[in-house]
Amino acid sequence: MKVIVDLCVVPIGVGVSVSKYVAECQKVLQEAGLEHQLHAYGTNIEGDWDDVFAAIKQCHERVHAMGAPRITTSIKVGTRTDREQTMQEKIDSVRFE
């Protein structure tokens, strides 16, 4: 099943700046070959359900390995059964009048 996910991984107990942890998660997504778009408060990801959620698990593993004792993650998940739709198609479907 294809999925589009909005992911926000927040390491806790690492200080104010979390950019290096976000960058590590971006590396995970790149290595997984998943289409993704970073935005101000998270990352949109599209791909096969199992691949996307395996990458999310890997993000947690890597951020913990970097020294974060805790992580809180927010995930929004969207799927469709009527047709496939990419993130870009969803954006392009919005029309300003």
Side-chain angles (χ1 to χ4, degrees):
M1 177 182 336
K2 296 292 183 187
V3 65
I4 296 177
V5 169
D6 186 29
L7 175 70
C8 182
V9 175
V10 181
I12 298 172
V14 297
V16 176
S17 177
V18 297
S19 59
K20 71 179 184 179
Y21 303 96
V22 172
E24 190 63 30
C25 284
Q26 293 296 303
K27 278 192 220 174
V28 168
L29 300 174
Q30 188 70 33
E31 291 167 3
L34 294 169
E35 186 69 32
H36 59 284
Q37 297 174 349
L38 180 67
H39 57 85
Y41 285 100
T43 302
N44 292 135
I45 311 164
E46 71 181 29
D48 178 75
W49 180 285
D50 292 336
D51 296 338
V52 170
F53 280 90
I56 292 170
K57 178 182 178 184
Q58 179 107 45
C59 284
H60 270 249
E61 291 171 344
R62 294 238 196 128
V63 170
H64 279 306
M66 293 173 73
R70 293 180 63 195
I71 301 168
T72 184
T73 295
S74 299
I75 302 172
K76 290 190 277 187
V77 179
T79 57
R80 293 188 74 147
T81 59
D82 58 332
R83 68 181 181 96
E84 286 190 18
Q85 185 179 41
T86 67
M87 293 183 297
Q88 190 59 52
E89 289 169 342
K90 287 180 71 65
I91 292 167
D92 292 345
S93 73
V94 176
R95 303 200 196 306
F96 294 98
E97 296 182 21

